[in-house]
Amino acid sequence: MTRLALVTRVVKPLLYLAATLPCAWIVFALATGRVEGDQVKYIQHVTGTTVLVTLFLTLSVTPLRRATGWNEIIRTRRLIGLTAFWYALLHFVSYVVFDQSLSLADIADDVAKHPWVLVGFASFLLLVPLAVTSTNGWIRRLGGKRWQRLHMLIYPAAVGGVLHYFWLVKKDVRTPLWFAGVLALVFAARLWAARARGRRPARAQGRRRESSPLIRAGEDVA
Amino acid sequence: MLINRPPDIPTSEITEESLYTTRREFLLAAGFGAAAVGGLLPFSRTALPWGRGPDDDKLTPFEDIAGYNNFYEFGTGKDDPARNAGTLRTRPWKVEIAGEVATPAAYDLDDLLRGLTPEEHVYRHRCVEAWSMVVPWLGIPLGRLIDRLEPTSRAKYVEFTTLFDPAQMPGQQRGILDWPYVEALRMDEARHPLTLLVTGLYGKPLPNQNGAPLRLVVPWKYGFKGGKSIVRIRLLERQPATTWNIAAPDEYGFYANVNPEVDHPRWSQARERRIGEFFKRKTLPFNGYAPQVASLYAGLDLRKNF
């Protein structure tokens, strides 16, 4: 099996499956009475954690690609990024429906008064254009450079997501600090990857020319 | 020493003090009840002595009450206390009575409470984190114990200190809070008939994770005011420093009365999630106990004294 086939026929289906697991777990845990205490908070905790983890994974694809030379894994990035978005949407909807009972006035008030809600809200909004422009059509329409610039919104969204978590914790900030630490590592890896790319352009670029324009668009914006 | 004479009237024949002191509300409730039977007025249970709320105040299941706890001495996760509190030894248990009392001394818990019969009080329990439960506590109105202790005229505050023993309470191995946990009440709050020294839950001894063997419950205040696993009760002339107030003075005040009008700096207190429900409900002033306790704070600016 070629590496491309491995990524598209094995890794991607596995990632699809993995993407449904947190959601399936929530349904299972609630249905079987495994969740003691605040069930909505549980939904929000699992979805929120999934968003942060998948955002970090999305940001890690390029450094991983540079480190291994496995250019094919770029084909998994959209799937991981969209997983982050879908869980952010679930997280957001649970807040709007269960916490605020769909009251726009209450939501506006909450967002205006409480910085951690504002930061969470803003981070979610930043992900919306990224999800919308994740299609091949939008990559083509925007062109690699502009698409890439737009998708740099993932950086403030990820930082905002971690800050949102940090601010909601009452006292024991160890877990949010772990997330902040991992995000710093991911950022460091990306810096390293950007420099590594500059140093050895010939082979990588030669390979990229062989692939289809769409894949190239995907790769160019890595 | 505590003087314990056998009671010459069977306890079953004594009107409970909380019933006695709130007899007017009781009669009012009875009146409303009679009126409801006559189809004249809707029956309101909010007027009953220990504040049984509206009809949707169903008891929270035992599994939730004993499985979802804030008790940082056993870890900061909500399920940590249920998992880790097995290391706590609740007998023998000494409670030191200190400060402005006739005879400061350390008592065995069973001696301290001898002759004080625990009674069931169903209270709403509102956490500062905006969730709530309805709990059938088993406890003794704190005022009865205070009477026994013969406070001096200088006693203005009552302070409650939780056990400090990192071997039994693994959460204390980290300085997440300024151990030991200390909470306190003003004397009139402490003597209020709603204020309970709790020893049980659902008719059974208190589970360790809920603050065994002795904890405080003040139903019109946020849950953190209810010190758990109490080893010292001290009567004081001056207001003592309290743990959460030390940790974050702008977020947790000394009074900590449930107040939907005054938000926590980081989140709203206007609504709460009753455990077991998905949608939030409105939070009531003084957690719905305003008729019984609001007069304690007449003239006090509740925004400043949050």
Side-chain angles (χ1 to χ4, degrees):
Chain A
M1 194 186 283
T2 64
R3 217 148 65 190
L4 183 66
L6 185 68
V7 168
T8 54
R9 301 219 191 110
V10 179
V11 177
K12 274 186 85 170
L14 284 176
L15 285 175
Y16 266 112
L17 192 68
T20 64
L21 286 182
C23 193
W25 174 255
I26 291 172
V27 172
F28 174 73
L30 289 180
T32 56
R34 277 172 176 27
V35 183
E36 257 132 29
D38 194 332
Q39 302 175 82
V40 174
K41 205 152 190 195
Y42 183 78
I43 294 172
Q44 291 170 346
H45 184 73
V46 176
T47 52
T49 305
T50 305
V51 174
L52 290 179
V53 169
T54 47
L55 279 181
F56 294 178
L57 286 175
T58 310
L59 286 165
S60 305
V61 170
T62 297
L64 205 61
R65 176 188 165 196
R66 299 276 174 239
T68 59
W70 283 37
N71 288 327
E72 294 79 5
I73 61 170
I74 195 67
R75 287 162 174 266
T76 64
R77 191 174 61 175
R78 171 162 53 196
L79 165 56
I80 305 171
L82 280 173
T83 305
F85 172 75
W86 286 116
Y87 278 93
L89 185 67
L90 282 177
H91 188 80
F92 178 78
V93 166
S94 80
Y95 163 77
V96 166
V97 174
F98 295 130
D99 285 353
Q100 302 297 351
S101 304
L102 291 167
S103 159
L104 289 181
D106 288 346
I107 293 167
D109 187 60
D110 198 21
V111 170
K113 272 197 202 150
H114 306 113
W116 74 278
V117 184
L118 174 69
V119 167
F121 199 95
S123 301
F124 170 69
L125 291 183
L126 290 179
L127 292 181
V128 174
L130 307 196
V132 169
T133 61
S134 65
T135 60
N136 291 343
W138 270 104
I139 297 174
R140 239 193 319 255
R141 244 166 286 164
L142 287 170
K145 279 270 170 284
R146 272 195 294 167
W147 188 92
Q148 188 174 18
R149 222 174 303 146
L150 176 68
H151 279 245
M152 285 173 87
L153 288 177
I154 193 176
Y155 296 118
V159 173
V162 171
L163 192 61
H164 173 68
Y165 190 14
F166 194 86
W167 269 341
L168 83 88
V169 169
K170 203 158 75 171
K171 187 83 174 102
D172 188 356
V173 294
R174 277 179 305 170
T175 320
L177 278 178
W178 270 108
F179 276 89
V182 172
L183 182 62
L185 279 179
V186 170
F187 280 174
R190 288 189 67 85
L191 273 176
W192 167 82
R195 290 173 59 187
R197 187 192 189 195
R199 268 205 303 276
R200 37 161 207 180
R203 196 174 65 104
Q205 277 178 7
R207 281 183 154 220
R208 222 174 301 143
R209 262 183 221 108
E210 290 160 20
S211 49
S212 78
L214 266 179
I215 298 307
R216 202 175 68 215
E219 287 201 345
D220 277 347
V221 295
Chain B
M1 267 307 284
L2 292 173
I3 298 160
N4 293 307
R5 277 180 307 165
D8 33 32
I9 307 170
T11 50
S12 57
E13 284 184 39
I14 304 172
T15 304
E16 288 171 2
E17 190 187 12
S18 57
L19 259 179
Y20 175 74
T21 52
T22 54
R23 58 196 181 279
R24 291 189 181 85
E25 288 97 308
F26 180 79
L27 287 173
L28 188 70
F32 271 81
V37 170
L40 295 172
L41 277 169
F43 180 37
S44 162
R45 293 203 313 189
T46 49
L48 278 172
W50 36 83
R52 267 188 195 276
D55 286 339
D56 53 353
D57 275 348
K58 283 200 287 282
L59 291 185
T60 302
F62 177 82
E63 293 70 33
D64 285 319
I65 299 173
Y68 192 73
N69 307 95
N70 276 325
F71 196 174
Y72 282 12
E73 282 80 349
F74 295 105
T76 54
K78 294 283 187 292
D79 49 356
D80 288 342
R83 209 175 17 228
N84 301 332
T87 47
L88 180 69
R89 294 185 305 273
T90 57
R91 286 294 187 282
W93 190 270
K94 291 260 182 230
V95 180
E96 184 191 351
I97 303 295
E100 300 292 342
V101 291
T103 44
Y107 297 95
D108 184 81
L109 177 62
D110 298 322
D111 294 336
L112 183 71
L113 301 182
R114 188 152 297 145
L116 298 172
T117 314
E119 42 192 66
E120 183 163 88
H121 288 226
V122 177
Y123 285 156
R124 287 179 291 274
H125 179 83
R126 170 63 156 80
C127 180
V128 75
E129 297 164 1
W131 54 263
S132 64
M133 297 181 173
V134 181
V135 186
W137 299 112
L138 214 53
I140 297 150
L142 173 62
R144 289 199 209 154
L145 177 68
I146 292 176
D147 287 341
R148 272 193 179 188
L149 302 177
E150 299 175 57
T152 73
S153 61
R154 285 188 298 275
K156 306 264 166 47
Y157 293 88
V158 187
E159 179 200 68
F160 307 86
T161 306
T162 297
L163 175 70
F164 177 72
D165 184 351
Q168 289 189 66
M169 297 181 146
Q172 290 175 331
Q173 288 161 16
R174 294 191 313 116
I176 189 89
L177 288 170
D178 194 3
W179 312 117
Y181 195 94
V182 172
E183 261 308 336
L185 297 171
R186 234 167 48 185
M187 186 54 84
D188 57 343
E189 297 174 324
R191 283 182 178 278
H192 192 281
L194 287 175
T195 303
L196 282 190
L197 269 180
V198 163
T199 56
L201 164 63
Y202 265 110
K204 289 177 281 194
L206 201 57
N208 287 358
Q209 61 269 32
N210 292 87
L214 186 71
R215 67 166 293 173
L216 181 69
V217 167
V218 195
W220 69 93
K221 293 175 181 285
Y222 294 120
F224 72 85
K225 288 298 289 184
K228 303 187 179 93
S229 305
I230 295 167
V231 292
R232 185 171 73 170
I233 298 175
R234 195 155 66 127
L235 277 64
L236 297 166
E237 185 168 16
R238 285 176 209 290
Q239 180 179 312
T242 51
T243 299
W244 274 104
N245 187 242
I246 295 168
D250 56 328
E251 298 189 346
Y252 310 100
F254 174 79
Y255 285 96
N257 292 320
V258 175
N259 190 343
E261 302 286 313
V262 178
D263 280 353
H264 185 281
R266 289 184 285 153
W267 58 81
S268 168
Q269 296 291 25
R271 285 188 287 164
E272 67 198 47
R273 175 165 296 111
R274 180 62 51 82
I275 294 305
E277 294 178 356
F278 277 88
F279 293 94
K280 287 192 169 181
R281 54 170 73 203
K282 281 199 158 67
T283 288
L284 303 170
F286 298 105
N287 202 21
Y289 300 98
Q292 292 96 329
V293 301
S295 60
L296 296 175
Y297 308 101
L300 195 71
D301 182 346
L302 295 174
R303 283 189 179 276
K304 274 191 199 137
N305 299 282
F306 57 86

